[in-house]
Short mmCIF file of all heavy atoms in Angstrom, two decimals:
data_model
loop_
_atom_site.label_atom_id
_atom_site.label_comp_id
_atom_site.label_asym_id
_atom_site.label_seq_id
_atom_site.Cartn_x
_atom_site.Cartn_y
_atom_site.Cartn_z
N ARG N 260 -4.07 -17.53 -9.88
CA ARG N 260 -2.81 -18.03 -10.19
C ARG N 260 -2.17 -18.64 -8.97
O ARG N 260 -1.01 -19.13 -8.99
CB ARG N 260 -1.84 -16.98 -10.74
CG ARG N 260 -2.28 -16.36 -11.91
CD ARG N 260 -1.37 -15.16 -12.40
NE ARG N 260 -1.86 -14.54 -13.57
CZ ARG N 260 -1.37 -14.88 -14.87
NH1 ARG N 260 -0.64 -15.84 -14.92
NH2 ARG N 260 -1.86 -14.13 -15.87
N GLY N 261 -2.74 -18.67 -7.85
CA GLY N 261 -2.20 -19.19 -6.49
C GLY N 261 -1.51 -18.02 -5.85
O GLY N 261 -1.65 -16.81 -6.17
N ALA N 262 -0.73 -18.37 -4.80
CA ALA N 262 -0.07 -17.40 -3.89
C ALA N 262 0.95 -16.73 -4.61
O ALA N 262 1.76 -17.15 -5.38
CB ALA N 262 0.42 -17.98 -2.63
N ILE N 263 1.16 -15.46 -4.27
CA ILE N 263 2.35 -14.70 -4.78
C ILE N 263 3.58 -15.11 -4.13
O ILE N 263 3.63 -15.71 -3.01
CB ILE N 263 2.10 -13.10 -4.43
CG1 ILE N 263 3.19 -12.30 -5.34
CG2 ILE N 263 2.15 -12.85 -3.06
CD1 ILE N 263 2.91 -10.86 -5.22
N ARG N 264 4.69 -14.93 -4.73
CA ARG N 264 6.12 -15.53 -4.27
C ARG N 264 6.41 -14.98 -2.85
O ARG N 264 6.71 -15.76 -2.09
CB ARG N 264 7.23 -15.03 -5.20
CG ARG N 264 7.15 -13.63 -5.59
CD ARG N 264 8.18 -13.25 -6.60
NE ARG N 264 9.56 -13.34 -6.16
CZ ARG N 264 9.99 -12.49 -5.27
NH1 ARG N 264 9.36 -11.40 -4.84
NH2 ARG N 264 11.36 -12.54 -4.99
N ASN N 265 6.39 -13.68 -2.63
CA ASN N 265 6.77 -13.03 -1.38
C ASN N 265 6.02 -11.73 -1.28
O ASN N 265 6.38 -10.80 -2.01
CB ASN N 265 8.20 -12.81 -1.33
CG ASN N 265 9.00 -14.02 -0.92
OD1 ASN N 265 8.68 -14.72 -0.02
ND2 ASN N 265 10.14 -14.25 -1.50
N PRO N 266 5.10 -11.58 -0.43
CA PRO N 266 4.55 -10.17 -0.16
C PRO N 266 5.75 -9.31 0.33
O PRO N 266 6.64 -9.75 0.94
CB PRO N 266 3.47 -10.46 0.90
CG PRO N 266 3.21 -11.96 0.83
CD PRO N 266 4.44 -12.56 0.46
N ILE N 267 5.45 -8.05 0.09
CA ILE N 267 6.53 -7.04 0.65
C ILE N 267 6.46 -7.32 2.15
O ILE N 267 5.36 -7.09 2.76
CB ILE N 267 6.09 -5.69 0.26
CG1 ILE N 267 6.13 -5.50 -1.31
CG2 ILE N 267 6.95 -4.57 0.91
CD1 ILE N 267 7.61 -5.60 -1.86
N PRO N 268 7.77 -7.28 2.83
CA PRO N 268 7.77 -7.42 4.26
C PRO N 268 7.20 -6.12 4.90
O PRO N 268 7.32 -5.10 4.35
CB PRO N 268 9.27 -7.60 4.51
CG PRO N 268 9.90 -8.02 3.38
CD PRO N 268 8.97 -7.48 2.16
N PRO N 269 6.51 -6.30 6.03
CA PRO N 269 5.91 -5.19 6.72
C PRO N 269 6.83 -3.93 6.90
O PRO N 269 6.30 -2.81 6.65
CB PRO N 269 5.44 -5.76 8.05
CG PRO N 269 5.29 -7.10 7.73
CD PRO N 269 6.27 -7.42 6.79
N ALA N 270 8.02 -4.16 7.14
CA ALA N 270 9.01 -3.05 7.43
C ALA N 270 9.23 -2.22 6.17
O ALA N 270 9.61 -1.00 6.23
CB ALA N 270 10.32 -3.54 7.89
N GLN N 271 8.99 -2.71 4.95
CA GLN N 271 9.18 -2.09 3.65
C GLN N 271 7.95 -1.44 3.16
O GLN N 271 7.84 -0.86 2.05
CB GLN N 271 9.81 -2.94 2.68
CG GLN N 271 11.22 -3.57 3.08
CD GLN N 271 11.78 -4.43 2.01
OE1 GLN N 271 11.36 -4.40 0.84
NE2 GLN N 271 12.74 -5.27 2.48
N GLN N 272 6.79 -1.77 3.81
CA GLN N 272 5.39 -1.32 3.32
C GLN N 272 5.15 0.08 3.57
O GLN N 272 5.48 0.64 4.67
CB GLN N 272 4.34 -2.20 3.74
CG GLN N 272 4.37 -3.66 3.35
CD GLN N 272 3.19 -4.43 3.77
OE1 GLN N 272 2.20 -3.76 4.26
NE2 GLN N 272 3.35 -5.74 3.92
N GLN N 273 4.52 0.73 2.68
CA GLN N 273 3.77 1.99 3.07
C GLN N 273 2.33 1.65 2.79
O GLN N 273 2.03 0.79 1.92
CB GLN N 273 4.15 3.11 1.95
CG GLN N 273 5.68 3.53 2.15
CD GLN N 273 5.93 4.61 1.10
OE1 GLN N 273 5.08 5.13 0.43
NE2 GLN N 273 7.21 4.87 0.92
N GLN N 274 1.43 2.20 3.56
CA GLN N 274 0.04 1.82 3.48
C GLN N 274 -0.45 2.27 2.04
O GLN N 274 -0.19 3.39 1.57
CB GLN N 274 -0.74 2.61 4.47
CG GLN N 274 -0.51 1.91 5.84
CD GLN N 274 -0.94 0.44 6.01
OE1 GLN N 274 -1.85 0.14 5.48
NE2 GLN N 274 0.01 -0.27 6.65
N PRO N 275 -1.30 1.43 1.30
CA PRO N 275 -1.76 1.83 0.03
C PRO N 275 -2.68 3.02 0.10
O PRO N 275 -3.33 3.20 1.18
CB PRO N 275 -2.56 0.61 -0.42
CG PRO N 275 -2.88 -0.22 0.86
CD PRO N 275 -1.65 0.12 1.84
N VAL N 276 -2.76 3.89 -0.92
CA VAL N 276 -3.61 4.88 -0.91
C VAL N 276 -4.99 4.60 -1.50
O VAL N 276 -5.04 4.21 -2.68
CB VAL N 276 -3.03 6.11 -1.83
CG1 VAL N 276 -3.88 7.33 -1.85
CG2 VAL N 276 -1.65 6.54 -1.33
N ALA N 277 -6.00 4.62 -0.55
CA ALA N 277 -7.33 4.17 -0.99
C ALA N 277 -8.02 5.39 -1.73
O ALA N 277 -8.04 6.42 -1.22
CB ALA N 277 -7.91 3.60 0.24
N PRO N 278 -8.74 5.05 -2.80
CA PRO N 278 -9.58 6.07 -3.41
C PRO N 278 -10.63 6.60 -2.43
O PRO N 278 -11.16 5.78 -1.74
CB PRO N 278 -10.09 5.37 -4.67
CG PRO N 278 -9.33 4.22 -4.95
CD PRO N 278 -8.71 3.79 -3.57
N GLY N 279 -10.95 7.79 -2.54
CA GLY N 279 -12.06 8.30 -1.65
C GLY N 279 -11.98 9.64 -1.12
O GLY N 279 -12.71 10.52 -1.47
N PRO N 280 -10.81 9.86 -0.28
CA PRO N 280 -10.77 11.20 0.43
C PRO N 280 -10.66 12.26 -0.56
O PRO N 280 -9.92 12.14 -1.61
CB PRO N 280 -9.55 11.02 1.31
CG PRO N 280 -9.39 9.61 1.45
CD PRO N 280 -9.83 8.94 0.30
N ALA N 281 -11.20 13.45 -0.30
CA ALA N 281 -11.18 14.69 -1.15
C ALA N 281 -9.63 15.03 -1.17
O ALA N 281 -8.96 14.91 -0.23
CB ALA N 281 -12.05 15.66 -0.66
N ARG N 282 -9.31 15.61 -2.39
CA ARG N 282 -7.97 16.16 -2.40
C ARG N 282 -7.83 17.26 -1.43
O ARG N 282 -8.64 18.21 -1.35
CB ARG N 282 -7.84 16.75 -3.87
CG ARG N 282 -6.32 16.89 -4.30
CD ARG N 282 -6.17 17.12 -5.79
NE ARG N 282 -4.82 17.11 -6.22
CZ ARG N 282 -4.03 16.07 -6.31
NH1 ARG N 282 -4.57 14.91 -6.13
NH2 ARG N 282 -2.75 16.11 -6.68
N GLY N 283 -6.71 17.26 -0.70
CA GLY N 283 -6.43 18.28 0.26
C GLY N 283 -6.57 17.71 1.74
O GLY N 283 -5.96 18.15 2.64
N SER N 284 -7.31 16.58 1.88
CA SER N 284 -7.45 16.02 3.20
C SER N 284 -6.55 14.72 3.20
O SER N 284 -6.96 13.65 3.02
CB SER N 284 -8.93 15.45 3.36
OG SER N 284 -9.36 14.57 2.32
N HIS N 285 -5.17 15.16 3.24
CA HIS N 285 -4.19 14.06 3.23
C HIS N 285 -4.29 13.15 4.37
O HIS N 285 -4.42 13.47 5.59
CB HIS N 285 -2.75 14.74 3.22
CG HIS N 285 -2.41 15.33 1.88
ND1 HIS N 285 -2.33 14.57 0.76
CD2 HIS N 285 -2.19 16.63 1.52
CE1 HIS N 285 -1.95 15.34 -0.27
NE2 HIS N 285 -1.96 16.60 0.14
N GLN N 286 -4.20 11.86 4.04
CA GLN N 286 -3.93 10.80 5.09
C GLN N 286 -2.43 10.58 5.13
O GLN N 286 -1.71 10.95 4.26
CB GLN N 286 -4.66 9.54 4.69
CG GLN N 286 -6.19 9.85 4.40
CD GLN N 286 -6.76 10.15 5.83
OE1 GLN N 286 -6.61 9.58 6.86
NE2 GLN N 286 -7.74 11.05 5.65
N PRO N 287 -1.91 9.76 6.23
CA PRO N 287 -0.52 9.57 6.19
C PRO N 287 0.07 8.78 5.13
O PRO N 287 1.18 9.10 4.58
CB PRO N 287 -0.37 8.62 7.46
CG PRO N 287 -1.53 9.00 8.32
CD PRO N 287 -2.72 9.35 7.39
#
């Protein structure tokens, strides 16, 4: 569909939670 209107500015972002780490081994 082309580029998105406005990505979330870096100051408002939280890092996405990537699938993989076992439950209990919390990342930031």
Side-chain angles (χ1 to χ4, degrees):
R260 297 175 183 270
I263 191 171
R264 50 185 291 286
N265 278 317
I267 295 293
Q271 298 179 20
Q272 290 181 21
Q273 296 177 10
Q274 291 297 318
V276 181
R282 198 165 185 81
S284 58
H285 281 298
Q286 301 297 320

